[in-house]
Amino acid sequence: MTRRGGGGGAKRLALNGAGLLVALFAAFPVYWMIATSLKPSSEIFSSTPRPVPTEPTLEHYRQILTGNLIPGVTFADFFLNSALVAVCTVVLSGLVALLAATAVARFRFKLRTTFLIMLLVVQMIPLEALVIPLFLMIQRLGLYNTLPSLILTYLGFSLPFAVWMLRGFVAAVPKELEEAAAIDGASRAQTFRKVLFPLVAPGLVATSIFSFITAWNELIFALTFINDQESYTLPVAMTFFFGRDDTAWGPVMAASTLFTLPVIVFFLLVQRRMVSGLVAGAVKG
């Protein structure tokens, strides 16, 4: 018994050590980005780079927050454009995906299996292969050079994953709960809002993270569908820091830090629900 317990403790210690190394490996690029953003230019381009800034400064943050990347447009404008696109994508994808997942999980209809298979097939198509056809479609709809063109595009890419994920959550909710609510006199809308929605909320959180990251980080479609500089999103704005002969690494790291913060904050706010949601969604599909 003693040997077995000692062996278990050593195994646990090894697993914890391995997990710590993986965490440090994953966190180091983020740390280096933040540290570089606080370094003066003389330290950034020093022949002997140091992991900790010796003379920390906020000059790079002041430069990007108070200056104009392009005439008449500030970093805050790009930030608001990205926030608008990301929030709209998350809200619309969550609403549409929940309704579609409920229909797929609760009703039996013709071509239901084909629909589910197509959701997976869509995920296999590379984004680059869809740029030209989507560009032509956006032009015909009269949405070129507008933020709604990006919202619709990101919605199309996030919906298949969201529907497939939420289908498992809806299927895991016992039908007896909805039937009991109906017997108590609740309408279908009330049953959906008061019974089904609270139980699948963790699934919505898990899928919303995917939708948010997709809309927040995407560059190819934002660069293709938007020509008006005032409507650029943050990923496009980041390209202005890279010149043909030189790169402003201080402002790049400062902008990257501000660019990453919303994702980190959003994840920290919903991490508990996301973990419970991923576990719950794996129970039944």
Side-chain angles (χ1 to χ4, degrees), residues 46-237:
S46 174
S47 58
T48 56
R50 299 178 180 179
V52 179
T54 57
E55 298 179 2
T57 177
L58 296 177
E59 175 61 25
H60 302 308
Y61 290 95
R62 186 198 64 78
Q63 181 179 344
I64 64 173
L65 291 177
T66 60
N68 294 337
L69 296 180
I70 56 178
V73 187
T74 64
F75 184 85
D77 296 324
F78 299 128
F79 189 94
L80 291 176
N81 290 337
S82 286
L84 177 62
V85 171
V87 170
C88 290
T89 301
V90 169
V91 173
L92 291 176
S93 65
L95 177 61
V96 176
L98 179 57
L99 295 176
T102 303
V104 172
R106 286 291 187 256
F107 303 103
R108 297 295 181 267
F109 52 88
K110 193 174 182 180
L111 300 179
R112 174 177 173 272
T113 303
T114 303
F115 173 74
L116 292 174
I117 293 175
M118 290 303 298
L119 290 179
L120 295 178
V121 172
V122 170
Q123 299 294 311
M124 302 177 186
I125 303 175
L127 298 181
E128 292 78 6
L130 299 176
V131 173
I132 294 178
L134 285 176
F135 176 79
L136 296 176
M137 184 183 70
I138 291 297
Q139 274 193 324
R140 291 177 181 176
L141 292 175
L143 296 176
Y144 175 69
N145 208 24
T146 63
L147 293 180
S149 66
L150 298 180
I151 296 173
L152 289 177
T153 302
Y154 301 155
L155 184 63
F157 283 104
S158 60
L159 270 179
F161 174 82
V163 173
W164 185 264
M165 283 284 295
L166 287 175
R167 169 183 168 271
F169 291 98
V170 176
V173 177
K175 293 183 180 180
E176 291 76 12
L177 294 178
E178 299 177 37
E179 294 171 355
I183 293 175
D184 291 338
S187 63
R188 287 191 174 183
Q190 290 175 328
T191 301
F192 179 85
R193 186 175 70 254
K194 296 182 179 181
V195 177
L196 186 62
F197 179 78
L199 293 175
V200 300
L204 280 173
V205 171
T207 56
S208 67
I209 291 178
F210 173 81
S211 301
F212 183 85
I213 293 177
T214 299
W216 188 258
N217 292 337
E218 202 282 323
L219 172 64
I220 296 177
F221 293 108
L223 193 60
T224 305
F225 296 166
I226 303 295
N227 191 39
D228 184 9
Q229 294 181 336
E230 295 182 356
S231 299
Y232 280 160
T233 56
L234 273 178
V236 180

